[in-house]
Amino acid sequence: MSKKESSMWGGRFSEPTDEFVQSFTASVSFDQRLAAADIDGSLAHARMLQRVGVLSAEELDSIESGLAQVKNEIDAGQFEWSVELEDVHMNVEARLTQLIGDAGKKLHTGRSRNDQVATDIRLYLREQITDCLQLIRNFQNGLLNLAEQEVDTILPGFTHLQAAQPVTFGHHLLAWFEMLERDHGRLTDCRSRMNQMPLGAAALAGTSYPLDRHYTAELLDFDLPCRNSIDAVADRDFAIEFCSAAAICMTHLSRMAEELVMWSSAQFNFIELPDRYCTGSSIMPQKKNPDVPELVRGKSGRTNGNLITLLTLMKSQPLAYNKDNQEDKEPLFDSLDTLIGSLRAFADMVPNLKANRDTMYRAAKLGYTTATDLADYLVNRGLAFRDAHEVVGKAVAYAISQDKDLSDCSLDELQQFDARIEDDVFELLSLEGSVAARKVLGGTAPQQVRQQIKACRELIS
Ligand code: ARG
């Protein structure tokens, strides 16, 4: 057993930990990213200990300046992380004690690594979620700007990936806005539910020291101390909830990615992605590959995997803390990194895409996308919708046999299917007429989309 380690918990051991076991059980290689949160938690704990009389003012002073130095060393990349010291908590504490002596050994009074790590993750995750929320807002703002530019742009709307009805591109972009709005809500919820402080739970049962948990919670900006000490150290719901919200958000980004990839192909040619988000091919000179959306689509697999990892990690654990929990960090951090990177890329890439308006328009004219409008027209002239559907089906079959669009048929031709059809039908069979008619709340008409953009702006301002 190394000297460092024995000073932390080696009292009752008679042989050193196996060297392999030491590295197998260590988490310092990945939990060192909790260092800043760990130090913040320790500072608040120490201030509270002094306030309730467990530490003297001098001891607190030296803990504060010692931790400041530890933080400087870490920030400067000069900190010597040691696997023998297992995790971030013991690394920081050991260095503190090396720097300030006995006062450092008192920092852990009334605390366990169990409540310490649960607190650190919450502090860290809380801040990272704030970053995610900001990125989502940036992305949403960019979408609203693009939607405003493309409010009159018409493209085919699809169901079953078959051309269904013409829609405006601004309207489609607002659908993406809504997906992100729910992600924002989920992450906000997750952040507020996790904002309770485990410190004071100690190993699991609480502590006999007269800790003022409300004071520590206030210093760390937690809403409250966790109510139950056993749950405080056993719970990892916040990590599961975050990974779940992240997986859903990545699923949204992946669906957008799929459309971006299709739309930027030569066959669709609806959009042009900014060059700085694409790469070329080493063999085919003509290629411009949509690597970033493809990668984001692929990365959604990771966030799904991480969610399942955490659910499986927790599902059979007896209360309270178990070492299994050390396995929570890598999936959590990976989901965070994946989500933040993907949002960052999309928030800049998507609002800067160029819409090929003419191609979109021509595509919307294919596939009889205004057939529903003809049926609605007949309904307005007294036909029951089911009968109108039948009539229009026949008209479409005729137009297909003539290899032309409904709007290119003559009035005579259309009147063969129903005598109620008159000259005013052509206005409705046009793409512009079709979208303009859908001005119901939430619909695709440019006039309606303008109002929706305004409402969305207010929502996120
Ligand atoms: N590295 C540990 C973790 O991530 C810290 C808590 C360890 N507590 C313990 N009693 N072994 O979960």
Side-chain angles (χ1 to χ4, degrees):
M1 196 180 319
S2 74
K3 254 194 270 143
K4 286 176 179 177
E5 189 182 79
S6 60
S7 69
M8 290 286 169
W9 48 254
R12 59 104 74 212
F13 284 75
S14 58
E15 68 167 352
T17 313
D18 184 275
E19 221 172 284
F20 165 72
V21 172
Q22 206 165 58
S23 69
F24 187 72
T25 54
S27 54
V28 67
S29 64
F30 50 84
D31 68 11
Q32 51 181 272
R33 74 152 98 180
L34 295 176
D38 191 70
I39 290 171
D40 287 346
S42 288
L43 282 170
H45 181 66
R47 283 171 193 154
M48 180 276 296
L49 287 179
Q50 191 269 324
R51 190 172 146 116
V52 300
V54 174
L55 290 179
S56 70
E58 297 71 42
E59 285 166 335
L60 174 60
D61 263 4
S62 75
I63 287 175
E64 284 180 332
S65 57
L67 284 174
Q69 176 164 347
V70 173
K71 182 159 174 28
N72 285 340
E73 291 176 4
I74 294 172
D75 289 346
Q78 286 159 355
F79 191 89
E80 262 184 63
W81 296 102
S82 147
V83 173
E84 288 154 42
L85 286 167
E86 198 178 315
D87 58 24
V88 61
H89 322 291
M90 296 206 287
N91 268 270
V92 168
E93 194 188 319
R95 178 66 182 141
L96 176 70
T97 301
Q98 211 176 51
L99 288 168
I100 68 167
D102 281 350
K105 295 187 190 163
K106 294 193 175 179
L107 172 62
H108 212 50
T109 313
R111 186 175 76 169
S112 149
R113 275 185 297 152
N114 298 351
D115 59 344
Q116 189 178 358
V117 69
T119 304
D120 290 1
I121 305 173
R122 290 177 193 233
L123 286 172
Y124 177 79
L125 187 55
R126 200 174 67 178
E127 209 172 297
Q128 297 283 309
I129 290 180
T130 306
D131 290 351
C132 295
L133 291 172
Q134 189 53 53
L135 285 168
I136 290 178
R137 285 293 185 242
N138 295 349
F139 188 10
Q140 286 179 306
N141 265 312
L143 285 175
L144 293 180
N145 294 340
L146 184 61
E148 209 147 57
Q149 282 170 42
E150 305 298 337
V151 77
D152 294 304
T153 306
I154 296 177
L155 79 167
F158 295 92
T159 63
H160 313 266
L161 201 55
Q162 309 291 312
Q165 291 173 342
V167 296
T168 50
F169 190 36
H171 191 218
H172 194 106
L173 294 168
L174 291 187
W176 291 359
F177 176 98
E178 294 298 333
M179 290 146 80
L180 292 166
E181 186 55 25
R182 291 191 294 277
D183 293 323
H184 193 276
R186 266 184 286 273
L187 287 168
T188 305
D189 265 12
C190 164
R191 188 180 58 177
S192 73
R193 201 171 301 102
M194 90 173 59
N195 203 26
Q196 300 192 354
M197 185 194 70
L199 282 179
L204 79 164
T207 173
S208 55
Y209 297 96
L211 305 190
D212 182 346
R213 298 185 65 213
H214 283 283
Y215 182 64
T216 321
E218 198 185 303
L219 289 178
L220 291 171
D221 238 343
F222 282 111
D223 297 331
L224 283 171
C226 297
R227 218 168 13 233
N228 180 295
S229 64
I230 297 175
D231 181 55
V233 294
D235 169 43
R236 291 294 181 274
D237 288 3
F238 51 90
I240 297 177
E241 276 193 57
F242 172 77
C243 283
S244 159
I248 298 173
C249 185
M250 284 299 293
T251 299
H252 291 158
L253 299 188
S254 178
R255 296 185 73 174
M256 296 173 198
E258 174 72 5
E259 295 189 317
L260 295 170
V261 170
M262 276 192 311
W263 290 348
S264 58
S265 70
Q267 284 63 32
F268 270 87
N269 193 29
F270 283 4
I271 59 161
E272 191 78 39
L273 290 172
D275 279 3
R276 63 182 185 280
Y277 282 95
C278 299
T279 62
S281 154
S282 53
I283 177 167
M284 296 167 283
Q286 85 283 11
K287 295 269 281 185
K288 175 177 158 185
N289 294 327
D291 282 34
V292 171
E294 289 174 275
L295 206 49
V296 166
R297 188 176 57 190
K299 280 179 187 290
S300 63
R302 280 176 184 256
T303 43
N304 289 352
N306 293 334
L307 173 60
I308 297 297
T309 301
L310 285 189
L311 288 167
T312 313
L313 173 69
M314 300 311 296
K315 83 174 210 21
S316 306
Q317 281 194 48
L319 301 182
Y321 176 87
N322 302 282
K323 182 76 167 180
D324 313 40
N325 282 347
Q326 185 164 287
E327 288 289 306
D328 63 1
K329 286 166 207 64
E330 286 165 294
L332 176 64
F333 296 160
D334 186 65
S335 281
L336 264 170
D337 294 345
T338 303
L339 183 63
I340 287 177
S342 304
L343 282 171
R344 188 182 148 177
F346 271 36
D348 181 49
M349 179 186 70
V350 177
N352 286 301
L353 63 77
K354 186 178 144 291
N356 295 332
R357 295 175 183 164
D358 293 343
T359 326
M360 286 182 173
Y361 191 86
R362 279 197 302 276
K365 290 204 70 156
L366 301 174
Y368 305 92
T369 55
T370 57
T372 318
D373 297 87
L374 181 55
D376 293 342
Y377 176 92
L378 291 168
V379 168
N380 278 324
R381 272 161 190 67
L383 222 58
F385 183 77
R386 280 292 154 222
D387 295 332
H389 188 286
E390 172 80 15
V391 167
V392 177
K394 292 200 168 115
V396 168
Y398 170 80
I400 291 173
S401 74
Q402 301 297 305
D403 197 22
K404 56 185 178 188
D405 188 45
L406 283 176
S407 62
D408 299 324
C409 294
S410 69
L411 187 55
D412 282 350
E413 283 176 303
L414 292 176
Q415 280 175 340
Q416 317 170 65
F417 301 100
D418 195 291
R420 276 164 279 209
I421 298 178
E422 288 170 50
D423 213 23
D424 57 353
V425 77
F426 292 105
E427 155 78 29
L428 273 174
L429 292 183
S430 74
L431 298 181
E432 289 78 2
S434 171
V435 296
R438 287 177 169 68
K439 52 183 192 288
V440 65
L441 179 70
T444 206
Q447 150 199 357
Q448 174 58 223
V449 171
R450 277 194 192 89
Q451 285 177 32
Q452 291 167 28
I453 293 174
K454 201 164 150 248
C456 292
R457 281 211 196 280
E458 273 161 30
L459 189 70
I460 64 172
S461 65

